Amino acid sequence: MTGKPDHIQKNAGRIVISVDAMGGDAGPAVVVAGIAMSADKNPDLGFILHGPEDQLKPLVAKKRILNGRVEFRDARDVVTMEDKPSQVMRNGKGTSMWSALDSVKQGEAAGAVSCGNTGALMALSMLRLRKLPGVNRPAIAILWPSRNPQGFNVMLDVGADVRADAQDLLQYALMGTSYVRNSMDIPRPRVGLLNVGTEEHKGHADLKEAYGLISDHSETGGFDFVGFVEGSDIPGDTADVIVTDGFTGNVAIKTGEGTASLMRITLREAFEYSFLSKIAALLAMTSLKRLSKRLDPRRVNGGVFLGLNGTVVKSHGGADATGVSAAVKLAFRLAQQGFAEKLAARVASSVALTQDKPAQMDETSPDQAPTKKD
Amino acid sequence: MTGKPDHIQKNAGRIVISVDAMGGDAGPAVVVAGIAMSADKNPDLGFILHGPEDQLKPLVAKKRILNGRVEFRDARDVVTMEDKPSQVMRNGKGTSMWSALDSVKQGEAAGAVSCGNTGALMALSMLRLRKLPGVNRPAIAILWPSRNPQGFNVMLDVGADVRADAQDLLQYALMGTSYVRNSMDIPRPRVGLLNVGTEEHKGHADLKEAYGLISDHSETGGFDFVGFVEGSDIPGDTADVIVTDGFTGNVAIKTGEGTASLMRITLREAFEYSFLSKIAALLAMTSLKRLSKRLDPRRVNGGVFLGLNGTVVKSHGGADATGVSAAVKLAFRLAQQGFAEKLAARVASSVALTQDKPAQMDETSPDQAPTKKD
């Protein structure tokens, strides 16, 4: 489906990830440190690194673990956080971001990772990799710390597009399900549709329509539909996949992050307040580290773009080496599972299922068997 | 404007709050315990209590502090959490919620407090108290723990209506400003409009229109418009008033609450993990109590309905006595400030300002001087 079956064979049998070295807040040194951490943990990883070669080569040379595992693609321009997606689509050809996506398009890499401007990365990804047949709006999916046994939920869309109609929300349910199946060991994920209440009569007309559509497709899609869920269920345990439009999803994750950050600051202040509380903090160090590891946003760093011909992972702009390494690990894992191909098949089969006219089915998905797994 | 100038003089010079004793998760005993806490702290408070008199009288009799400060209104029916707002509007006449609002309508009380079903309470409030002239959609405003010096931000709408157009968002900005001025000591509040990014080109068309409208009215409205803000600014320090539609606002607060609750659970688990961490928890007790007081949702319990002829405070359905007492305190404070009257004047003057045809101004606000303060 994606037309690059042989990318996994390059770089001496390693899975190759294409990495945009530029555009993150902390500069290319942190990105190189991140891929070095990944390379150290995983001998099956190789990299193509995009950016100004004269800057990147010395940074890579300092990390012995990267020896022989990094190819360079010289790209002089950088997409900044201030650049508008429309400008980047017109003038972005010389940028490291463009180049990183091109390696996926050409089949040289199994996935791309970038810390750059999210809007520009999504716009360029759609331009270079194109949407999967049958997908109207691609989505960004993230992992969110939750009370579920797996420790995380998947939420999408968190900002690819501010709008989503009922059909889009159904696609998100199918793509999110596929993502959970390929990144966690959950054969039959539970899907919830985000609303202001769990009663069926609540919310917008689009949501009520999506409720019906998602419910109708749960059997063929291989998921359990738990119906409407609320904001409190995002970190909760009632669903594994939370489906929403990109506006609501984006506000929700940023509110959650902001709340967590306020609590961390307040906790630190509380422990620095008195002599006794400072001693308590010392004694509680291990416990606090466990807490902070559990809820560390760096461990779940990486929004995955779903609905494209190829895997793109957006790392947080402010990611440190640990964060970059987590994003690389995610891209690697999805490549290893053949996720892009499975998702394409899943979406194609759903297109077949939701099309009224059988003639259209052949048009959009000529070679997909609707029964194909995932 | 609200037609009840004399309500503050009843109950032996006390400010009287009308309290719906029923509909909360924990039953009337907790509501009575809550008003007793308030009565103990504040000698200027009197109550009208609504519900089955035979149940309420023995509960009140047990609290000596309430002696002579509570009038009863017998109401046999209760609005449950499952009742649909439309049903309650048709058949709710015998309920304690209806009765509690009626005391405000009749001018017997300066404000109403209920722990009941939010949708039903808003529907009944609109039916019984009616919207202020010039307000299309009333809003629910809540306080949210933040990094601001005052410790809180105001956010609205958090669920009165899932929709809001640009005019509604302007009204929310004006009502939120007025609320902040009357509940905190901030003469010139900063208003932010919630979006998925701070750049002017982001978001829905309605939001861009609202941006222009709110910006145009900042001078006459007496607030600073800080432009678009993100979810992370809700617990942040860039704005005092966060304006959004009821769908987004509702999802945001529930996500924030859920995240805070997950962190509390994880923190507790961390401290119970080992012998050493249990000792640490003992030593850190004071610090942790300080943290939990700072972020205690009960302290900020009380969503205020803005845009009605009268003050209605919605307490959390699961509120304990402390929570009920906080909601009563809020209703008292707003009554003391003459908030309902000030808000009516503020909205009327903004209607005058946003009307194109001067003739309409006299129609909707016959007796308001546009220069009137607040």
Side-chain angles (χ1 to χ4, degrees), chain B residues 14-41:
Chain B
R14 295 191 177 108
I15 290 185
V16 175
I17 304 298
S18 173
V19 178
D20 174 10
M22 313 305 287
D25 301 343
V30 162
V31 174
V32 171
I35 66 171
M37 279 177 73
S38 290
D40 196 27
K41 279 185 242 162

Side-chain angles (χ1 to χ4, degrees), chain A residues 99-173:
Chain A
S99 179
L101 293 168
D102 238 34
S103 284
V104 176
K105 184 181 166 71
Q106 305 304 334
E108 300 173 325
V113 171
S114 174
C115 303
N117 180 328
T118 309
L121 184 60
M122 181 47 99
L124 278 191
S125 297
M126 283 171 67
L127 184 72
R128 299 306 292 152
L129 303 179
R130 304 222 163 264
K131 295 185 281 187
L132 284 176
V135 170
N136 177 32
R137 293 194 165 97
I140 305 175
I142 54 138
L143 295 176
W144 189 257
S146 81
R147 289 204 298 267
N148 272 328
Q150 71 269 25
F152 301 103
N153 286 335
V154 164
M155 176 153 79
L156 74 166
D157 175 28
V158 299
D161 198 315
V162 292
R163 288 147 307 176
D165 64 19
Q167 270 295 339
D168 298 324
L169 294 170
L170 169 62
Q171 293 282 349
Y172 296 173

Side-chain angles (χ1 to χ4, degrees), chain A residues 81 84-85 144-147 162-163 194-197 199 201 203-204 207 230-232 234-235 244-248 250-267 269-271 273-274 276-277 279-281 283-284 287-288 290-291 294-295, chain B residues 81 84-85 144-147 162-163 194-197 199 201 203-204 207 230-232 234-235 244-248 250-267 269-271 273-274 276-277 279-281 283-284 287-288 290-291 294-295:
Chain A
M81 290 295 176
K84 284 194 192 180
W144 189 257
S146 81
R147 289 204 298 267
V162 292
R163 288 147 307 176
L194 192 60
N195 198 351
V196 294
E199 303 89 345
H201 66 275
H204 302 283
L207 276 180
E230 302 183 88
S232 50
I234 298 173
T244 188
D245 65 274
F247 186 89
T248 310
N250 188 277
V251 168
I253 59 161
K254 287 179 180 163
T255 304
E257 283 171 356
T259 305
S261 146
L262 174 64
M263 285 188 79
R264 270 192 293 268
I265 291 168
T266 314
L267 187 62
E269 283 170 2
F271 275 119
Y273 188 78
S274 68
L276 212 60
S277 64
I279 293 183
L283 285 177
S287 300
L288 291 174
R290 207 162 25 239
L291 163 74
R294 170 95 199 276
L295 300 174
Chain B
M81 290 297 175
K84 283 195 191 178
W144 190 257
S146 82
R147 288 204 298 267
V162 292
R163 290 146 307 176
L194 191 60
N195 198 351
V196 294
E199 303 89 346
H201 66 274
H204 302 283
L207 276 179
E230 302 183 89
S232 50
I234 298 173
T244 188
D245 65 273
F247 186 89
T248 311
N250 188 277
V251 169
I253 60 160
K254 287 179 180 163
T255 305
E257 283 170 357
T259 305
S261 146
L262 175 64
M263 286 187 78
R264 270 191 294 267
I265 291 167
T266 315
L267 187 62
E269 284 170 2
F271 275 118
Y273 188 76
S274 68
L276 212 60
S277 63
I279 293 183
L283 285 177
S287 301
L288 291 174
R290 206 161 26 240
L291 162 74
R294 170 94 198 276
L295 300 174

Side-chain angles (χ1 to χ4, degrees), chain B residues 64-190:
Chain B
R64 201 187 301 171
I65 189 81
L66 291 175
N67 199 350
R69 292 168 73 174
V70 179
E71 285 181 56
F72 297 90
R73 295 284 183 278
D74 191 43
R76 313 302 308 170
D77 292 347
V78 175
V79 176
T80 69
M81 290 297 175
E82 289 70 39
D83 287 337
K84 283 195 191 178
S86 53
Q87 293 166 342
V88 177
M89 283 174 83
R90 276 195 304 275
N91 312 318
K93 205 165 179 184
T95 63
S96 57
M97 189 184 275
W98 181 293
S99 179
L101 293 168
D102 237 33
S103 284
V104 176
K105 185 181 166 71
Q106 305 304 335
E108 300 173 323
V113 171
S114 174
C115 303
N117 179 329
T118 310
L121 184 61
M122 180 49 98
L124 279 191
S125 297
M126 283 171 67
L127 183 72
R128 301 304 293 151
L129 302 179
R130 304 222 163 263
K131 295 185 280 186
L132 283 176
V135 169
N136 178 32
R137 293 195 166 95
I140 305 176
I142 53 139
L143 295 176
W144 190 257
S146 82
R147 288 204 298 267
N148 272 327
Q150 71 268 27
F152 301 103
N153 286 335
V154 163
M155 177 153 80
L156 74 167
D157 175 28
V158 299
D161 199 315
V162 292
R163 290 146 307 176
D165 65 18
Q167 272 293 342
D168 298 325
L169 294 169
L170 169 62
Q171 294 282 347
Y172 296 173
L174 294 164
M175 297 195 299
T177 300
S178 202
Y179 179 45
V180 164
R181 245 195 299 258
N182 285 281
S183 60
M184 306 169 194
D185 292 324
I186 301 173
R188 199 175 168 86
R190 295 162 303 157

Side-chain angles (χ1 to χ4, degrees), chain A residues 296-317:
Chain A
D296 187 352
R298 295 177 309 170
R299 284 182 63 231
V300 291
N301 184 35
V304 176
F305 291 5
L306 300 177
L308 301 165
N309 288 299
T311 297
V312 179
V313 175
K314 163 69 174 82
S315 166
H316 200 288

